[in-house]
């Protein structure tokens, strides 16, 4: 068990850091959708979601293709014990198969938060994490798959949440007026969405870089120490999540700006 826990920690950080550029689409998407919701522009809400969806899908497929390279870089940087390195390689290769689903889930979550429908997002997260926990126990412990079982459990949880979220959204979108692909995939609008996320991406890279650096230092002290640090990190994340949940939910509140503010903050016009 120490080896399994230790293997998951370093490769988990490399997997997350690989996903970070597109994960930042969630707060960016929620902000843009909140602005459109405040203006009463249902078409722009849908267009903003589909832009985030396309960016997430393309980024996820790219990460699947880059999984061997990411794994090799992670193994070289961690410079851990051979058994731990082997387990890391298995985890990252399986885990990154879920990259498209992970990033699409963040786009879906951003849509619901932007409309102030946090309860729907919470239900999807409960589905994702509940299935993840159940399958981790079943695949990792009961069937004895170990690290690979934990990775496959995460993949299944992400895919299930993505399917559930898309069923809800497609059912909702089917009752809305048609929207032209030219408006949805307007290059200027996509550039603006990426621009909004740049600051979030930089902050995320810095934070994840610090975590990865400290994880590497723990790996140099042996498998048992790295596993103990992984357990402590779970307590840290629990505290961080609880603290974040107690803060005012600004990102989940629809924005209803005045006309001058709309002119400065609204997405670029379609063309």
């Amino acid at each position: 068990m120490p080896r399994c826990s230790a293997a998951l920690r370093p490769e988990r950080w490399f997997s997350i850091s690989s996903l970070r550029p597109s994960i930042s689409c969630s707060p960016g998407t929620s902000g843009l959708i909140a602005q459109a919701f405040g203006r009463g522009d249902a078409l722009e809400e849908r267009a903003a979601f589909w832009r985030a969806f396309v960016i997430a899908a393309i980024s996820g497929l790219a990460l699947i293709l880059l999984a061997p390279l990411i794994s090799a870089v992670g193994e070289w940087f961690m410079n851990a014990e051979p058994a731990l390195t082997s387990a890391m390689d298995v985890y990252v290769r399986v885990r990154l198969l879920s990259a498209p689903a992970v990033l699409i889930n963040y786009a879906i979550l951003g849509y619901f938060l932007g409309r102030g429908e946090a309860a729907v997002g919470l239900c999807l997260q409960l589905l994702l994490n509940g299935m993840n926990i159940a399958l981790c126990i079943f695949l990792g412990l009961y069937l004895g798959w170990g690290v690979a079982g934990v990775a496959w459990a995460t993949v299944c949880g992400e895919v299930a949440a993505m399917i559930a979220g898309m069923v809800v959204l497609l059912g909702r979108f089917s009752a809305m007026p048609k929207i032209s692909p030219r408006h949805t995939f307007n290059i200027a609008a996509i550039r603006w969405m990426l621009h909004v996320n740049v600051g979030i991406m930089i902050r995320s890279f810095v934070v994840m870089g610090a975590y990865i650096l400290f994880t590497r230092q723990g790996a140099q002290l042996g498998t048992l120490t790295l596993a103990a640090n992984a357990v402590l990190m779970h307590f840290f994340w629990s505290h961080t999540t609880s603290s974040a949940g107690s803060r005012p939910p600004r990102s989940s509140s629809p924005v209803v700006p005045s006309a001058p503010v709309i002119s400065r903050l609204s997405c670029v016009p379609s063309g």
Side-chain angles (χ1 to χ4, degrees):
M1 284 302 293
R3 179 173 298 170
C4 178
S5 177
L8 290 177
R9 189 187 179 204
E11 212 53 49
R12 178 175 181 268
W13 291 125
F14 272 96
S15 300
I16 294 176
S17 63
S18 302
L19 298 171
R20 273 291 166 182
S22 294
I23 282 179
S24 61
C25 283
S26 177
T29 303
S30 65
L32 295 173
I33 290 176
Q35 292 175 17
F37 183 74
R39 297 193 304 268
D41 190 349
L43 292 181
E44 181 57 32
E45 290 177 36
R46 192 164 26 141
F49 168 75
W50 285 120
R51 291 172 199 137
F53 179 93
V54 170
I55 293 172
I58 293 175
S59 300
L61 293 174
L63 286 173
I64 291 177
L65 296 177
L66 292 174
L69 177 61
I70 294 171
S71 179
V73 171
E75 294 170 14
W76 168 80
F77 183 77
M78 288 298 168
N79 191 28
E81 300 174 4
L84 180 59
T85 299
S86 176
M88 288 167 57
D89 181 65
V90 171
Y91 181 80
V92 72
R93 288 173 182 267
V94 176
R95 177 69 173 84
L96 285 181
L97 291 175
S98 68
V102 172
L103 302 181
I104 290 172
N105 279 331
Y106 275 98
I108 294 171
L109 182 62
Y111 175 86
F112 288 121
L113 290 179
R115 288 180 51 85
E117 299 174 353
V120 181
L122 176 61
C123 290
L124 292 175
Q125 292 302 303
L126 288 174
L127 170 64
L128 189 160
N129 290 287
M131 180 172 288
N132 192 355
I133 293 170
L135 289 177
C136 278
I137 295 172
F138 179 71
L139 299 177
L141 296 179
Y142 183 75
L143 294 184
W145 290 12
V147 173
V150 174
W152 279 113
T154 305
V155 172
C156 293
E158 294 286 355
V159 171
M162 180 194 70
I163 293 174
M166 290 305 300
V167 167
V168 174
L169 286 180
L170 291 176
R172 180 177 297 187
F173 291 163
S174 64
M176 296 182 179
K178 298 291 184 179
I179 183 172
S180 68
R182 183 179 179 184
H183 171 76
T184 301
F185 302 113
N186 180 276
I187 298 300
I190 294 175
R191 287 177 180 172
W192 174 247
M193 174 172 281
L194 295 174
H195 174 74
V196 168
N197 288 293
V198 168
I200 305 172
M201 289 169 57
I202 294 174
R203 182 259 182 195
S204 298
F205 276 129
V206 172
V207 171
M208 294 309 302
Y211 282 132
I212 291 174
L213 180 61
F214 280 110
T215 299
R216 182 189 185 280
Q217 294 305 108
Q220 307 309 304
L221 301 177
T223 302
L224 186 61
T225 301
L226 185 59
N229 287 341
V231 174
L232 292 175
M233 184 58 70
H234 283 295
F235 284 105
F236 170 77
W237 276 115
S238 298
H239 170 72
T240 301
T241 304
S242 300
S243 300
S246 65
R247 290 198 286 265
R250 297 184 183 90
S251 63
S252 63
S253 301
V255 179
V256 187
S258 61
V261 177
I262 290 177
S263 64
R264 294 196 302 270
L265 295 181
S266 60
C267 293
V268 292
S270 61

